[in-house]
Amino acid sequence: MTQSFEHGVSLVIEALRFGNVRTNQSILARIGRLRSLDIKRPPSTLPDSKSHNHSGGTREADSIGPAMEELRLRVLACSKCPHLVEFRQNVVFGVGSLEADLMFVGEAPGAEEDRLGQPFVGRAGQLLTRIIETMGFARSEVYIANVLKCRPDIPEGSPGNRAPNLEEMQTCLPYLREQIHLIQPKAIVALGGVAMRGLFNATAPMKDLRGQWRKFGGIPVMATFHPSFLLRNQALTEKRKVWEDMLQVLEFLGRPVSERQQNFFLSNKSL
Ligand code: SF4
């Protein structure tokens, strides 16, 4: 019974990777019904089974993978916020390396992210990718997720995006906690004031929150401006502040910082 269940889950995972969205929603509804049968899974697939560490031990990405897939299926089938379920095209779970030392957390998917099912793929996402690469990482080396996994609804025909409210973020936050628990990054970068509110219920202006370390689930979190803020505010001084926050992160991670990186934005350079 368990073997055939696992086989079925593998097939579903493949379908989710390569199938179309409408088919996925129907598959997910069926998974939801299967889950209600409470079929027992092997202990190794449960999130709490992860035991990797950062103190020189080997990362056990292979053992994290099934647990992350189980979580992903659960989130893709989530219907805790009916108004968002009605509105969303895709659930935007998160992308990146399960062995990531560094994780970026934003607030919620926008229109482009909702359409593609990936976080940070719009203009702000392109800027985030440039920040990540300027730090010396490939985008695929870090993990990127949002506090909210579904796009906040807006009236039909309205342009733009809406920030998620506190209730929506609190409803969805346990999923992000599980992602962080599985990945165990050495550091997290919280992008923008809404993400900071979702993570810490922080209400101070970002100019006061940025550049400081806090802890979330035992993991150090650096707050910085959201890339969309930098797109709205092209001042070199604001970009330099984000870069100073990222230099702190690099220093914390023990990553080498080149002179070029150190001096970024002191001359007329832009991300
Ligand atoms: S926002 Fe989060 S909690 Fe709400 S329906 Fe989407 S996945 Fe579920």
Side-chain angles (χ1 to χ4, degrees):
M1 179 72 165
T2 300
Q3 260 189 347
S4 61
F5 176 83
E6 294 299 337
H7 180 63
V9 167
S10 300
L11 290 176
V12 168
I13 288 168
E14 290 308 303
L16 290 170
R17 279 190 179 134
F18 302 111
N20 68 52
V21 174
R22 302 230 174 268
T23 303
N24 292 348
Q25 295 304 324
S26 127
I27 289 169
L28 290 168
R30 274 180 272 164
I31 293 173
R33 287 197 289 275
L34 274 174
R35 288 181 59 79
S36 68
L37 298 176
D38 195 24
I39 298 169
K40 194 169 169 52
R41 292 170 188 72
S44 63
T45 65
L46 295 172
D48 285 342
S49 68
K50 179 172 170 290
S51 60
H52 72 270
N53 60 63
H54 295 293
S55 55
T58 304
R59 292 285 190 87
E60 297 173 16
D62 286 352
S63 69
I64 304 168
M68 191 64 92
E69 285 291 358
E70 191 270 346
L71 172 60
R72 194 169 76 96
L73 290 175
R74 211 163 3 107
V75 175
L76 293 183
C78 178
S79 57
K80 286 189 207 167
C81 314
H83 61 300
L84 303 186
V85 173
E86 182 75 19
F87 185 71
R88 73 188 179 201
Q89 290 185 53
N90 282 296
V91 177
V92 181
F93 179 67
V95 291
S97 170
L98 301 185
E99 301 176 78
D101 282 342
L102 183 57
M103 188 163 171
F104 289 83
V105 173
E107 58 187 62
E112 203 58 9
E113 288 76 16
D114 179 49
R115 191 173 68 79
L116 297 173
Q118 299 269 324
F120 283 95
V121 288
R123 281 183 69 220
Q126 288 163 17
L127 179 52
L128 176 64
T129 301
R130 290 210 291 282
I131 293 170
I132 290 167
E133 289 173 350
T134 307
M135 292 174 79
F137 293 97
R139 182 172 155 122
S140 58
E141 276 182 275
V142 303
Y143 197 89
I144 305 172
N146 285 307
V147 176
L148 205 75
K149 310 302 187 198
C150 301
R151 185 186 178 201
D153 57 335
I154 54 173
E156 198 177 334
S158 303
N161 298 306
R162 160 175 85 75
N165 62 43
L166 189 58
E167 185 185 349
E168 290 166 340
M169 289 194 286
Q170 285 175 343
T171 305
C172 206
L173 192 60
Y175 294 137
L176 181 66
R177 277 189 195 281
E178 286 191 61
Q179 287 174 301
I180 293 170
H181 174 75
L182 287 170
I183 295 168
Q184 289 287 304
K186 288 179 181 171
I188 296 170
V189 175
L191 298 163
V194 179
M196 285 299 288
R197 189 153 183 249
L199 290 170
F200 299 103
N201 205 13
T203 53
M206 269 311 286
K207 67 181 175 54
D208 299 329
L209 296 173
R210 61 151 285 269
Q212 295 172 34
W213 290 104
R214 291 168 181 74
K215 281 201 170 175
F216 182 84
I219 310 286
V221 177
M222 168 58 66
T224 198
F225 291 122
H226 193 283
S228 60
F229 170 79
L230 296 183
L231 290 174
R232 291 193 305 272
N233 187 338
Q234 293 285 332
L236 211 59
T237 50
E238 301 308 298
K239 291 183 177 179
R240 177 67 198 179
K241 285 175 190 165
V242 170
W243 188 239
E244 282 169 1
D245 301 338
M246 296 307 98
L247 287 176
Q248 280 202 66
V249 172
L250 290 176
E251 189 181 351
F252 177 82
L253 294 175
R255 304 272 297 200
V257 177
S258 68
E259 195 173 338
R260 182 176 172 276
Q261 284 175 311
Q262 191 71 49
N263 295 330
F264 222 76
F265 296 117
L266 292 182
S267 57
N268 188 23
K269 294 192 175 98
S270 61
L271 282 168

